Amino acid sequence: NAGVTQTPKFQVLKTGQSMTLQCAQDMNHEYMSWYRQDPGMGLRLIHYSVGAGITDQGEVPNGYNVSRSTTEDFPLRLLSAAPSQTSVYFCASSQRMTYEQYFGPGTRLTVT
Amino acid sequence: GENVEQHPSTLSVQEGDSAVIKCTYSDSASNYFPWYKQELGKRPQLIIDIRSNVGEKKDQRIAVTLNKTAKHFSLHITETQPEDSAVYFCAASRTGGSYIPTFGRGTSLIVHP
């Protein structure tokens, strides 16, 4: 199994540009989530999904959209990038009845 | 919602010493408390977890304790080694509501050889 994969690994955007961060898992996990990690701030939840077709907001959802059309994929869309969105983004997945979260390798995003 | 406080933010120890990281949580309904380790440039990975029906759990040199009354839990690492150097995150969550855990802000552990 590849586990949780994310693309791209690095990305530089200009203010106002849009883009999609890709996340996929091959473990048939029902739960998927997106976090951003900033120095001294830990892991903050952006959006999460408890199954295909179901998404909900986390702690810091503004400026981001998600959708979950399949169990495997959970893309994160930045609508109009801002310098405040410069961060490392992690996607994670987990089974319903167990609690370990499996993280992807992360995407380092810089917005200039 | 749940609020998780983690201390200290940085912990520096000599190789062979013990290290303790403490977390408090606010939601008395939380019943699952995982700890993740994140090495530099890598993804967070689960190292140990504890559920609310257990007071202590050990796995080799690491252990976690839980005090439900006081709503705090701690990670203990004994005989620290340089490869223990990393950022450690605690988290809290509960069944029945949002499954996704709330994370602490992390502790950067530095083990000096």
Side-chain angles (χ1 to χ4, degrees):
Chain A
N1 287 354
V4 180
T5 58
Q6 290 183 237
T7 56
K9 291 186 177 180
F10 302 95
Q11 183 70 49
V12 179
L13 291 178
K14 295 187 186 301
T15 297
Q17 289 184 318
S18 63
M19 78 159 296
T20 299
L21 307 185
Q22 301 292 343
C23 174
Q25 53 94 6
D26 62 358
M27 297 175 282
N28 201 33
H29 285 171
E30 293 196 47
Y31 290 80
M32 296 187 74
S33 53
W34 276 102
Y35 294 89
R36 60 177 289 173
Q37 183 175 28
D38 304 291
M41 298 299 291
L43 294 160
R44 292 186 292 170
L45 183 65
I46 304 171
H47 287 284
Y48 66 98
S49 169
V50 299
I54 306 170
T55 64
D56 206 346
Q57 296 181 352
E59 180 186 358
V60 288
N62 291 344
Y64 308 94
N65 273 357
V66 292
S67 60
R68 183 106 179 264
S69 56
T70 68
T71 299
E72 294 78 20
D73 300 298
F74 190 43
L76 178 72
R77 297 182 187 85
L78 279 70
L79 308 175
S80 177
S84 61
Q85 293 178 305
T86 293
S87 187
V88 178
Y89 291 85
F90 287 100
C91 178
S93 74
S94 56
Q95 289 182 329
R96 176 183 286 274
M97 293 307 292
T98 60
Y99 303 97
E100 177 177 1
Q101 290 212 70
Y102 294 84
F103 286 85
T107 295
R108 183 174 295 276
L109 175 69
T110 302
V111 182
T112 61
Chain B
E2 175 66 275
N3 182 49
V4 176
E5 299 282 341
Q6 182 172 348
H7 298 280
S9 57
T10 305
L11 180 58
S12 183
V13 300
Q14 290 295 128
E15 183 177 0
D17 287 350
S18 295
V20 180
I21 302 170
K22 299 181 179 181
C23 290
T24 60
Y25 61 99
S26 60
D27 186 352
S28 57
S30 288
N31 57 8
Y32 175 63
F33 307 93
W35 287 87
Y36 289 82
K37 175 183 180 182
Q38 185 181 28
E39 296 177 354
L40 188 63
K42 302 290 182 63
R43 71 190 79 186
Q45 291 188 294
L46 181 75
I47 55 170
I48 194 168
D49 57 14
I50 191 168
R51 302 181 192 276
S52 60
N53 58 346
V54 176
E56 183 175 3
K57 184 176 180 180
K58 291 183 180 179
D59 183 4
Q60 299 182 345
R61 294 186 297 107
I62 61 173
V64 57
T65 58
L66 171 65
N67 183 326
K68 286 193 297 179
T69 303
K71 290 191 282 189
H72 67 71
F73 56 112
S74 300
L75 177 70
H76 304 254
I77 306 174
T78 59
E79 301 173 22
T80 53
Q81 300 168 4
E83 52 264 39
D84 294 329
S85 296
V87 177
Y88 292 81
F89 293 98
C90 64
S93 69
R94 60 177 169 134
T95 56
S98 168
Y99 163 86
I100 305 299
T102 300
F103 285 86
R105 293 194 172 192
T107 295
S108 177
L109 173 64
I110 304 166
V111 181
H112 298 281

